[in-house]
Amino acid sequence: MSDHPVDRLFATIAARKAAADPSASYTAKLLSEGVEKCARKFGEEAVETVLAAVSGSKEHLAAESADVLYHLLVLWAASGITPDEVYAALKKREGVSGLTEKASRK
């Protein structure tokens, strides 16, 4: 795992999944409620991020973006995938037009 903040945060989330008490850890509580709850929470945070973007406040957008990234990583942990798997998917797309990549999914 790299020293990137996303990787460090995911390592903390994975550690909470493995050993934290849901009554003492928000992350462990979310994870204990399953993928569906984690997905719903991510969706809520995504909407809040969109609203922050249209508000025009960079500070609010940065804060909501941090929340949405955290909840995305919780969703990954709940779903059993790692940042490395997502990085690999991104690497496959490098140098490919977004329009071409999107058309390949149909």
Side-chain angles (χ1 to χ4, degrees):
M1 191 152 299
S2 80
D3 193 40
H4 192 278
V6 167
D7 294 321
R8 290 194 313 268
L9 178 56
F10 187 81
T12 299
I13 291 166
R16 299 288 192 276
K17 180 179 180 182
D21 177 357
S23 69
S25 165
Y26 178 67
T27 300
K29 181 179 184 304
L30 280 173
L31 290 165
S32 74
E33 294 176 350
V35 173
E36 186 176 315
K37 173 66 175 183
C38 294
R40 277 196 311 266
K41 189 61 183 167
F42 171 71
E44 291 170 17
E45 296 298 336
V47 170
E48 290 175 14
T49 303
V50 169
L51 294 173
V54 298
S55 79
S57 168
K58 289 182 179 183
E59 184 177 302
H60 189 202
L61 177 56
E64 291 298 341
S65 295
D67 289 348
V68 82
L69 284 172
Y70 162 77
H71 285 283
L72 177 60
L73 296 179
V74 169
L75 180 58
W76 290 355
S79 300
I81 68 168
T82 66
D84 286 340
E85 291 171 277
V86 177
Y87 300 158
L90 287 170
K91 187 172 176 101
K92 287 180 186 176
R93 296 179 186 185
E94 283 182 13
V96 177
S97 159
L99 295 173
T100 302
E101 193 282 324
K102 189 167 179 111
S104 74
R105 292 190 243 160
K106 293 182 179 175

